[in-house]
Amino acid sequence: PLTEFWHANKFISQKDSAIYLIGGYGQLHYKNLVQRYDIPQRKWEIVTPKGDHLPPHYLGAAGANSAGDTAFLLGGYGSNTGDQMVNPRYYYDLFAYSVKDQRFKTIYHLKEPDKQFCFANSLIIDDKARQYYGLVFPNDRFNSTLQLIRGSLTSPEYELLGDTIPYLFYDVRSFADLYYSPIGKKLVAVTFYTNKENRTDVRIYSIAFPPYAVSPVVGATGSSTPWWGYALAMVALGGLTWFMFGRRKKVIAPSVAVKESVAVSVDGESGMVEPVTVSQPAPPPAPVARIFFFGPFEVVDKAGNDLTKLFTPLLKELFLLIAMYSIRSGKGISSEKLYATLWRDKSSKDAQNNRSVNMVKLKAILDRLGTCGIVKEADKWVFLYTPEEISIDLARFYSLLNGQHAPDKAHIRQLLQIVHRGSLLPDTSYDWLDDIQSEISGKVLDALSAALTPFAADAELLLEVAGGIFLFDPINEEALRVKCRSLSMLGRHSMAKAAFEKFTREYHQMYGEEFQQSFQEIIA
C-alpha cells in the first residue's frame, strides 16, 4: 500500500523511552517531519524541532549514540520545498539531534563528490572513537552496489571499508539497512527488493568488525576522487582482472548491454543456474543510447550514464504515454487523451500550462540521448528518434514481429534478447497501460509458442524459448513439458525435476488445487 513515509529514518531513545521517525518520502513529496512514539504511554506525537533547518529528504542515514540522547543524520536526496518537482538535489550534511532540547545542529558538510550517492537507512555510532559506519550507493542505476564507509563525527572525512555489496535499487521498491552485532562482533547489511507481484528478495551480508580500510581518508581535506574510483583501482591491481577490465573498457556501452548478450535460466529453489548463450549481431560502429521498456524502465545515454533517475513520476508517465503510442501505431497520442490521462482534474488552460512546463523538462533529458524529440503533428504528440543513435527494445520487438520472413533461429534468439529482461514495464502501474501490457504479453507468447514445434530437435534453443514463455506465463503447461523434456534429453534430470516441482507449487498457489499430471507423464 502507498504510504507517506517511505525510507523514513528511525532511532530508539533510551533517554525518554521513545521511538523517533524522521523524514521520508511519499505522495510526490519529501518530508522532514519528526514523529515520536512514547512507548510507555503508547502515544504518537509530532515534534516541532528547534535549531538548524533539516531539509525534506529521503535516502539519508540516521543512528543514535549509546545513551540514546543524541541522533546523527547524514545525507539524503530531496528538496528545500519538499516538492519532488522543484529542484531536487543531493545532501551531504551531518546533523545532530538532541532529544532533550528537541534541536537540530549542523555539524559539517561533506565535500560533494564527482559522482553523487545516497545512504542506506542506518548509521552505526561509535561513541568512544567519535566515528560512524554507514553504507552508500549510487541511486542512478538499478544494478547498484553498497559500499561500507567509516567517517568522523567531528570533521568532514570518511574512508572505504571492505568490499562492495550488490544492491538492486528501484526507489521505494528497494531498501537497505545496516546493523551491528556486539555478540558476533560483526556488521550486518540487509537489502530488500520487491517486485510487481509483491515478492521480496531479502539478502543478508556480514563483515567482521572492525573492517579493513580499502582507501585513504577522503573528504574536505583528502582526495576528491569518488569512492568508487578507489574500488576500481583496487580491482585493477589483479593481473587477470586488469586484462578483463581493459577489454571491457573498449566496449563503450551501458552495463545493461551485458544483460542483452546472455540469458540465464534459474530453476527456482534448486539453486541451479543454467547459462544460455544468445547470439547477437555485430556491435554497431558507434555507441548508441538505449531505452528499455521490457523489464524495469531504463534510459541510458551513449556514454553508459543511467538517466532513469532524472524521470520524475510525472515525466516518466508523460514520456511513456507519447513514446508507446508512437511506437505502437506511429501516430502518437492526441492532446485530449494526454490531458485526460495526466491532468483530468485541471482546466484546459492549466493542463496546457502543465504540459508546456513538463515538455521543457523532458526535452532537456532527451537531448542527452541523441537526435530525438517530441513534436506535434496535426493534433497528435509524436516521439521521433534516430535508430542509428538510439536503440529502443519495444521498437525492435515490433520490427521483429512485423517481419515478412519466416522465423528462424536467429529471429527467435533476437526476440529472446529483448524479452529476457522481463515483461513490459513490470514495476509500472497505470490504468491506461494494462491493456498494452496484456497485448504485448499475448504477442510474445504467440511468437515463442510458435517456435516450439519447428525447432523441436534443438533442446538448447527450446530451453531458451520455454524460459522466455515462463517470464510472461509462469504456469504455462506446454512450456513446462518442453523444459522438462529438453532438460531430460540433455541429461539434466535433477534440474528437470526441480523445474517440475517449482511449477506445481506455483500452480497450487494460483488455482488452489494440485496439478493433475505427474513428472513422468510430463516427460513421457
Side-chain angles (χ1 to χ4, degrees):
L2 293 178
T3 175
E4 289 279 351
F5 302 102
W6 297 103
H7 291 277
N9 292 119
K10 75 280 180 189
F11 70 93
I12 296 177
S13 168
Q14 300 176 31
K15 182 75 175 179
D16 58 353
S17 300
I19 299 172
Y20 285 81
L21 297 178
I22 302 176
Y25 167 81
Q27 309 298 338
L28 307 182
H29 279 80
Y30 307 107
K31 322 288 181 174
N32 61 353
L33 196 66
V34 178
Q35 302 178 76
R36 177 181 181 273
Y37 180 72
D38 188 313
I39 298 175
Q41 299 295 324
R42 299 185 179 183
K43 180 182 177 182
W44 280 101
E45 66 173 332
I46 304 298
V47 177
T48 304
K50 301 181 286 289
D52 296 333
H53 173 69
L54 178 74
H57 70 282
Y58 78 140
L59 299 182
N65 60 4
S66 57
D69 59 5
T70 303
F72 296 91
L73 291 89
L74 177 60
Y77 186 84
S79 71
N80 288 330
T81 65
D83 191 332
Q84 177 181 291
M85 301 295 294
V86 181
N87 299 322
R89 52 163 294 193
Y90 294 84
Y91 292 100
Y92 297 98
D93 301 291
L94 177 67
F95 289 87
Y97 177 76
S98 169
V99 172
K100 178 182 178 181
D101 301 329
Q102 295 183 352
R103 178 182 296 274
F104 282 109
K105 179 182 178 181
T106 305
I107 306 299
Y108 59 67
H109 177 81
L110 290 177
K111 182 176 180 180
E112 194 157 320
D114 295 335
K115 293 187 177 180
Q116 312 279 9
F117 57 79
C118 291
F119 293 80
N121 200 256
S122 294
L123 291 177
I124 306 301
I125 305 300
D126 185 340
D127 292 331
K128 293 182 180 180
R130 299 296 293 166
Q131 294 177 331
Y132 67 82
Y133 294 83
L135 293 168
V136 298
F137 66 97
N139 67 326
D140 60 352
R141 66 202 64 177
F142 178 66
N143 292 302
S144 190
T145 55
L146 293 164
Q147 172 67 60
L148 181 66
I149 65 170
R150 175 171 56 206
S152 168
L153 293 175
T154 57
S155 59
E157 56 188 27
Y158 59 90
E159 60 183 337
L160 308 184
L161 303 169
D163 200 359
T164 57
I165 298 171
Y167 182 35
L168 299 179
F169 178 73
Y170 197 64
D171 202 54
V172 296
R173 288 191 173 275
S174 303
F175 187 80
D177 216 336
L178 182 66
Y179 303 91
Y180 174 63
S181 167
I183 297 177
K185 293 184 178 180
K186 292 181 179 181
L187 289 171
V188 180
V190 183
T191 69
F192 299 81
Y193 170 68
T194 303
N195 63 18
K196 186 179 179 182
E197 288 73 33
N198 286 326
R199 294 184 179 180
T200 300
D201 176 85
V202 182
R203 301 184 184 187
I204 301 173
Y205 305 84
S206 66
I207 185 172
F209 189 87
Y212 292 109
V214 298
S215 80
V217 173
V218 295
T221 59
S223 167
S224 62
T225 304
W227 56 268
W228 40 82
Y230 290 108
L232 288 176
M234 294 298 293
V235 173
L237 289 176
L240 178 60
T241 307
W242 169 253
F243 169 74
M244 295 176 66
F245 180 72
R247 290 188 62 188
R248 287 177 62 188
K249 289 200 66 171
K250 294 177 184 177
V251 182
I252 307 173
S255 59
V256 290
V258 178
K259 299 179 185 177
E260 285 204 336
S261 63
V262 178
V264 179
S265 172
V266 183
D267 279 304
E269 297 174 2
S270 67
M272 293 175 286
V273 180
E274 179 190 353
V276 183
T277 302
V278 181
S279 63
Q280 60 180 6
V288 296
R290 297 171 184 267
I291 302 176
F292 295 95
F293 290 90
F294 287 92
F297 175 66
E298 203 167 350
V299 180
V300 184
D301 69 13
K302 294 179 182 180
N305 300 309
D306 194 331
L307 307 183
T308 315
K309 195 66 179 180
L310 300 179
F311 288 82
T312 63
L314 180 56
L315 288 181
K316 176 183 175 182
E317 186 170 8
L318 175 63
F319 174 70
L320 290 177
L321 268 168
I322 298 173
M324 294 193 69
Y325 275 83
S326 300
I327 293 170
R328 290 174 67 231
S329 67
K331 299 178 181 179
I333 184 172
S334 67
S335 297
E336 182 181 358
K337 186 172 181 63
L338 198 63
Y339 297 157
T341 304
L342 298 179
W343 300 290
R344 64 174 64 91
D345 58 336
K346 298 186 181 299
S347 66
S348 177
K349 182 178 179 180
D350 288 342
Q352 290 180 30
N353 289 337
N354 274 276
R355 185 259 301 158
S356 299
V357 170
N358 285 284
M359 283 291 192
V360 172
K361 295 179 180 179
L362 187 56
K363 181 181 183 301
I365 300 175
L366 297 179
D367 285 346
R368 298 176 60 173
L369 295 178
T371 306
C372 66
I374 295 173
V375 299
K376 192 172 185 181
E377 297 181 350
D379 188 43
K380 297 289 185 71
W381 293 96
V382 183
F383 174 62
L384 301 177
Y385 70 101
T386 304
E388 291 76 19
E389 294 186 31
I390 303 172
S391 173
I392 302 178
D393 58 357
L394 184 61
R396 288 164 36 226
F397 171 78
Y398 276 110
S399 177
L400 285 171
L401 288 192
N402 296 332
Q404 299 301 316
H405 56 83
D408 55 18
K409 291 185 179 181
H411 178 273
I412 294 301
R413 285 198 165 101
Q414 288 180 49
L415 183 61
L416 289 170
Q417 285 177 12
I418 296 171
V419 304
H420 86 267
R421 294 185 82 247
S423 57
L424 186 76
L425 299 171
D427 295 317
T428 303
S429 180
Y430 306 125
D431 291 340
W432 60 266
L433 185 60
D434 292 343
D435 289 341
I436 299 176
Q437 289 173 321
S438 297
E439 173 193 303
I440 296 297
S441 293
K443 289 181 180 295
V444 172
L445 291 173
D446 289 345
L448 294 182
S449 297
L452 294 176
T453 302
F455 308 114
D458 191 335
E460 294 285 1
L461 179 60
L462 288 182
L463 277 178
E464 298 177 46
V465 174
I469 292 175
F470 279 135
L471 288 174
F472 292 80
D473 183 5
I475 54 171
N476 187 291
E477 296 183 26
E478 184 60 27
L480 174 68
R481 294 187 184 92
V482 169
K483 184 170 186 175
C484 290
R485 290 171 183 171
S486 298
L487 288 171
S488 297
M489 288 172 58
L490 295 169
R492 304 168 191 172
H493 303 291
S494 60
M495 295 180 70
K497 188 65 181 295
F500 175 79
E501 292 172 351
K502 176 177 180 291
F503 179 92
T504 57
R505 287 194 299 270
E506 293 184 351
Y507 187 94
H508 182 271
Q509 183 179 1
M510 179 166 290
Y511 292 117
E513 60 183 44
E514 299 297 331
F515 185 59
Q516 295 303 309
Q517 291 183 280
S518 67
F519 176 68
Q520 293 301 325
E521 290 173 327
I522 286 292
I523 64 173

